[in-house]
Amino acid sequence: KRLEQDTEAALSQSYGPKARRICAAMSEGVAVLSGEVTSLAEKETAERVARQFRLREVRNEIAVIAQ
């Protein structure tokens, strides 16, 4: 749970209010990112932020939606 909170806090620092659209669920060292962003760059940044932590794997399931 702590790792999940730390990851979401890091996402919040990187995205500010937009972070509410991104969720990080953790299980046995695997992070699953979900939610919606408006660009591929935002999706890649979220994954990069999550990879800062000692995780076995990061699954990026964030959807990129047009505005």
Side-chain angles (χ1 to χ4, degrees):
K1 187 72 178 169
R2 172 70 186 205
L3 187 57
E4 188 172 322
Q5 291 170 337
D6 290 348
T7 302
E8 288 187 345
L11 288 168
S12 182
Q13 284 183 327
S14 294
Y15 283 97
K18 291 181 181 181
R20 289 176 292 180
R21 299 183 318 200
I22 301 172
C23 296
M26 307 287 176
S27 179
E28 298 180 17
V30 176
V32 178
L33 304 178
S34 61
E36 297 177 341
V37 295
T38 57
S39 73
L40 183 58
E42 287 181 313
K43 178 178 178 169
E44 291 170 347
T45 298
E47 184 171 338
R48 205 168 27 255
V49 168
R51 289 192 184 279
Q52 295 179 77
F53 299 92
R54 294 180 180 220
L55 301 167
R56 281 187 325 137
E57 182 181 353
V58 175
R59 294 184 191 152
N60 192 341
E61 299 178 359
I62 296 172
V64 178
I65 56 167
Q67 284 252 335

